[in-house]
């Protein structure tokens, strides 16, 4: 494609690498476009839904006039796969922070886990993790957390369309979740652990779909750089 094609608007699917931020991934694409053609030096580029550095998977990137579609894409349901470790908790609900509490898991069975899954289906009220970018009193929640400040976090409605256990190997379980915009999979891991009275936290996460867009159709960033 020529510079004019990108300026007129393109939607690009990227497979965000593990440990990269969404911002870093988008910037890699921006720099590649700038190197391709001087006309693309100031082109608008944005993504439709942040992925944490500890997550990999589908990132929808809008270029040129297609940046007007970002909010449309953000509203689409999302599919994730990943792993929850039961028997312990972390303050961030994932591997960003160290384990701070452990609990016995000898009461757990696959049947018990399956019995509590329906609690997380449909529209539910969910509290975001304290280690998140949501603003409270003018600061990000993670800033309050790092300063060890107590803040009240309000629960918000989210919709879980599907929650499937795909592998059961204690203390870990693999899952597939389809959910609405604004859902924190880390909170589901934590809340599932509470429901099972054993604690839980997220150890792996991959976004596989956004609406009808699939990570199977996404570019690896290095391949896209070479193509450009």
């Amino acid at each position: 494609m020529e510079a004019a094609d990108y300026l007129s608007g393109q939607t690009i699917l990227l497979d965000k690498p593990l440990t990269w931020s969404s911002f870093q991934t988008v910037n890699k694409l921006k720099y590649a476009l700038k190197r391709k053609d001087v006309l693309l030096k100031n082109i608008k580029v944005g993504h439709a839904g942040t992925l944490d550095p500890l997550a990999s998977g589908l990132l929808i990137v809008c270029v040129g006039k297609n940046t007007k579609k970002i909010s449309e894409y953000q509203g689409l349901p999302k599919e994730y796969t990943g792993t929850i470790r039961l028997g312990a908790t972390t303050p961030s609900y994932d591997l960003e922070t160290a384990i701070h509490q452990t609990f016995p898991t000898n009461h757990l069975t696959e049947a018990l886990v399956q019995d509590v899954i329906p609690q997380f289906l449909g529209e539910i009220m969910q509290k975001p993790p304290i280690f998140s970018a949501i603003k409270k009193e003018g600061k990000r929640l993670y800033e309050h957390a790092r300063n060890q400040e107590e803040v009240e976090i309000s629960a918000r409605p989210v919709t879980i369309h599907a929650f499937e256990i795909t592998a059961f190997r204690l203390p870990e379980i693999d899952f597939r979740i389809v959910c609405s915009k604004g859902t924190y999979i880390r909170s589901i891991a934590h809340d599932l652990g509470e429901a099972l009275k054993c604690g839980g936290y997220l150890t792996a996460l991959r976004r596989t779909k956004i609406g009808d867009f699939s990570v199977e159709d996404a570019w690896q960033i290095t391949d896209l750089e070479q193509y450009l």
Side-chain angles (χ1 to χ4, degrees):
M1 289 189 289
E2 301 302 321
D5 297 312
Y6 291 99
L7 290 167
S8 65
Q10 296 294 325
T11 296
I12 299 172
L13 307 183
L14 292 179
D15 186 349
K16 187 192 82 64
L18 190 66
T19 75
W20 286 36
S21 70
S22 299
F23 179 77
Q24 284 175 302
T25 308
V26 169
N27 266 355
K28 268 284 189 181
L29 174 58
K30 287 177 74 173
Y31 294 146
L33 288 169
K34 288 177 185 178
R35 289 195 301 269
K36 175 180 173 63
D37 196 303
V38 68
L39 294 174
L40 302 177
K41 183 179 179 181
N42 296 313
I43 192 170
K44 290 182 178 180
V45 182
H47 66 79
T50 301
L51 272 177
D52 289 339
L54 292 179
S56 67
L58 183 59
L59 197 67
I60 295 180
V61 182
C62 298
V63 177
K65 292 183 179 179
N66 272 26
T67 52
K68 295 177 181 178
K69 296 183 177 182
I70 285 177
S71 59
E72 173 190 336
Y73 293 145
Q74 285 175 331
L76 296 173
K78 298 167 178 66
E79 179 186 82
Y80 296 89
T81 59
T83 303
I84 297 169
R85 179 175 285 266
L86 300 170
T89 57
T90 72
S92 61
Y93 302 172
D94 65 3
L95 293 172
E96 183 182 346
T97 54
I99 290 171
H100 70 327
Q101 283 185 294
T102 59
F103 305 90
T105 58
N106 52 3
H107 66 290
L108 291 180
T109 63
E110 185 171 0
L112 179 60
V113 175
Q114 295 288 3
D115 283 346
V116 302
I117 292 297
Q119 298 178 27
F120 297 90
L121 291 171
E123 185 173 294
I124 63 171
M125 298 300 292
Q126 182 187 76
K127 280 190 178 183
I130 184 64
F131 281 82
S132 63
I134 294 170
K135 280 196 171 182
K136 178 79 173 183
E137 298 171 2
K139 290 198 297 188
R140 305 287 185 186
L141 285 179
Y142 62 75
E143 294 178 292
H144 290 290
R146 289 168 184 165
N147 293 332
Q148 298 184 335
E149 298 168 353
E150 293 283 339
V151 289
E152 183 65 31
I153 302 174
S154 300
R156 309 180 306 172
V158 297
T159 302
I160 311 301
H161 303 288
F163 187 177
E164 173 188 358
I165 303 302
T166 56
F168 185 85
R169 51 181 196 285
L170 285 178
E172 292 186 333
I173 58 173
D174 293 345
F175 65 84
R176 170 185 164 271
I177 287 175
V178 181
C179 57
S180 66
K181 171 186 175 183
T183 303
Y184 280 88
I185 307 300
R186 286 182 285 149
S187 289
I188 292 178
H190 176 269
D191 295 346
L192 178 66
E194 283 200 335
L196 292 168
K197 298 181 171 57
C198 66
Y201 63 99
L202 193 66
T203 60
L205 185 66
R206 183 164 175 77
R207 186 157 66 196
T208 48
K209 288 184 180 179
I210 300 175
D212 292 329
F213 299 103
S214 172
V215 73
E216 293 179 0
D217 301 318
W219 286 92
Q220 300 297 323
I221 188 66
T222 50
D223 292 341
L224 183 56
E225 284 181 302
Q226 290 176 4
Y227 168 77
L228 290 171

